[in-house]
Amino acid sequence: MQGSLGDKWIEINLDAIQNNLEEIKKIISDDVKLIAVLKANAYGHGAGEVARFLSKNGVDFFAVTFLNEALELRNAGISENIMLFSPVIDEEQLKEAIERRITLSITSPYDNKLIEKVSRQLHIPVNVHLKVDTGLGRFGLKQEEIIPVCRLLQENPDVCIEGIYTHMAEAASTNSSYTNKQFDRFMKAINELEKEGIKIPVRHCANSAIFLKYPHMHLDAVRIGTLLTGQYPVGSFSQPLNLIDPFKFKSRIISLRTLERGCYLGYYRTYRLKNKAQVAVVPVGYNDGLVLEVANKPAGLIDLLKIIIKKILSYCNIFRFNPSVKVNGKNYPVRGKVFMQMALVEFPPGVEVKIGDEVEVPVRKTLAAKDLKRLYLGGEKTLPEIDC
Ligand SMILES: *Cc1c(COP(=O)(O)O)cnc(C)c1O
């Protein structure tokens, strides 16, 4: 096993994904559809395998952001609905999307015209969902564009307006006023369509955070990614589900030396050993997603303060605010600056470790390289052998 896996791999526990699916299903009513969001390689878990596993467990609607992600799922044998969140702006690609029965989003009058044009040439049925911008400021039709877009689509017998949806800007915030405002705008758009005699069957606006916090916003379908992958969205939540994280990034110790008290570790000598210690090299660095964080603008003053305080605590080497790796069930600190492809770990002198020992490393799932070997564990009860 060691040879084939090399010294870096990812373990994905399918039983954990099944557990998360069941936990989610507990709070979905029977008439609400689950759309499993598998964008960004299923948040790093491997989109093809995860989709196949979910489809064997009864999920029949998937969503991704880009066309290449959708085609990847088709190529992995997924014949269920696959919806795209982003527009396809190239005619040839749009043809391929329709030929491969991808459900499209209409995000602007531009997409609308292109879909209309390509669909007229193909005469293949295509399902579309109207994306309404209610305040995220990303993709979406404006209120006044919705009815003209529908009118154009209705004249095309191959286009089925299956859904209408929006995406929330502050789903995880403790203040619900903006979310409520967005929801009101969405419902208003739907009402206006209905007044025009246009009834769209699948209305959806809930991602994981909305799903947890606003049950009345489940409507006809919920779009869930984060919870399936065993995590709660960022923000403060009551945690009603018993989620299990399916993802473990594993590596091995490739060097182990005993260094004396006072030795420096790493570039710029940012750490100095306080005691004699065993120092290990693990072949995982920021190139693999270790210690990388999304460096977006802070959401507010409190967010900014939290970031500053965390940096200060990290600077003071407070254990909880620095990365650590797990070996034989125990955590040990990463010391010094993480290198591009390596990191140093300190073990006290008495700890029994050796070269080749397995190490669990806290990398950012979505940054883990796509071509890294992913080992799927569990799930045997429902998943037969896959040859691909
Ligand atoms: C990513 C995404 C989701 C899923 O969000 P989670 O918080 O991961 O559940 C839903 N809808 C859209 C449009 C998305 O981009």
Side-chain angles (χ1 to χ4, degrees), residues 37 39 43 85 131 138 165 167 207-209 223-227 233:
V37 178
K39 64 192 184 194
Y43 299 56
F85 289 145
K131 172 70 182 288
R138 191 169 65 178
Y165 74 108
H167 197 38
N207 60 0
S208 290
R223 306 187 301 268
I224 308 285
T226 303
L227 294 172

Side-chain angles (χ1 to χ4, degrees), residues 297-321:
K297 186 172 167 176
L301 207 55
I302 294 186
D303 198 25
L304 175 64
L305 284 175
K306 275 189 194 161
I307 293 167
I308 294 170
I309 291 168
K310 272 190 198 159
K311 284 281 173 212
I312 293 171
L313 293 171
S314 160
Y315 181 76
C316 299
N317 291 310
I318 307 292
F319 189 72
R320 202 163 76 73
F321 296 90

Side-chain angles (χ1 to χ4, degrees), residues 171-218:
S173 163
T174 46
N175 183 342
S176 58
S177 64
Y178 196 72
T179 302
N180 288 326
K181 189 186 260 176
Q182 280 193 268
F183 187 67
D184 289 345
R185 285 180 185 152
F186 185 51
M187 294 319 284
K188 183 164 164 263
I190 291 168
N191 282 336
E192 287 190 1
L193 281 168
E194 288 182 355
K195 270 192 241 147
E196 292 288 314
I198 303 166
K199 183 138 178 48
I200 302 180
V202 189
R203 305 159 303 161
H204 49 110
C205 68
N207 60 0
S208 290
I210 296 286
F211 171 72
L212 289 174
K213 288 176 74 165
Y214 304 90
H216 68 288
M217 296 186 191
H218 289 186

Side-chain angles (χ1 to χ4, degrees), residues 60 84 200 287 305:
D60 62 0
L84 272 192
I200 302 180
N287 185 50
L305 284 175

